[in-house]
Amino acid sequence: MKELFQHAATTDGVTVRVAVNYLPEQSHPEAGKWFWVYHIRIENGSHEPLRLRTRHWRITDGRGMVNHVDGEGVVGEQPLLDPGQSHDYVSGCPLTTPFGSMEGFYTFTRADGSPLEVRIPFFPLSAPETAEGRQPR
């Protein structure tokens, strides 16, 4: 598992794993556009069923500009994860710089209706060498 997912965080028994890849075929550096795809696996290691309700992302570009993105569920779903179950999805992130980062949290509801905030680990977004010939930080 560690080979596929480079980043992970666990909150109250729920583990969020992230694998991120730069997509050169979706990027246009000459036009100031870079694109990454990320694969998320959410594993319910707790002892109770949890429903994913919302997501909050903090996306930072290479200039330090921060964009907060909030929404219902993930890719149009609000999955219910019973103990021991996992949910995978894939999404993408465009930036106007060749590097940046993402992090955030999901809000789940427990069977009794109480909320559980689960951390999404920080992960860098980094394109290969830029047209200027320097490696992004």
Side-chain angles (χ1 to χ4, degrees):
M1 190 86 56
K2 194 171 183 181
E3 303 80 39
L4 174 61
F5 296 99
Q6 305 106 326
H7 312 281
T10 302
T11 307
D12 290 344
V14 180
T15 300
V16 178
R17 300 183 190 278
V18 181
V20 61
N21 291 292
Y22 174 68
L23 286 188
E25 63 275 12
Q26 297 284 325
S27 300
H28 302 283
E30 66 286 350
K33 294 180 183 176
W34 290 264
F35 192 83
W36 291 264
V37 64
Y38 54 91
H39 175 176
I40 303 254
R41 174 168 294 158
I42 304 164
E43 302 168 349
N44 184 1
S46 78
H47 300 292
E48 60 185 327
L50 299 168
R51 180 161 312 270
L52 194 158
R53 295 295 184 182
T54 64
R55 68 187 183 283
H56 172 82
W57 285 106
R58 176 188 164 99
I59 304 167
T60 307
D61 73 11
R63 295 181 194 92
M65 297 291 294
V66 176
N67 187 21
H68 293 274
V69 178
D70 293 285
E72 298 290 318
V74 290
V75 293
E77 298 179 323
Q78 292 185 323
L80 174 66
L81 282 75
D82 285 322
Q85 284 189 321
S86 64
H87 180 77
D88 286 62
Y89 74 94
V90 175
S91 192
C93 179
L95 288 181
T96 58
T97 60
F99 56 95
S101 65
M102 293 179 68
E103 62 187 319
F105 61 86
Y106 299 117
T107 301
F108 288 82
T109 51
R110 298 178 173 101
D112 67 6
S114 65
L116 172 63
E117 193 173 283
V118 173
R119 189 169 77 86
I120 302 168
F122 171 93
F123 57 97
L125 304 171
S126 182
E129 282 199 23
T130 65
E132 298 89 60
R134 60 184 162 77
Q135 187 69 26
R137 287 177 234 163

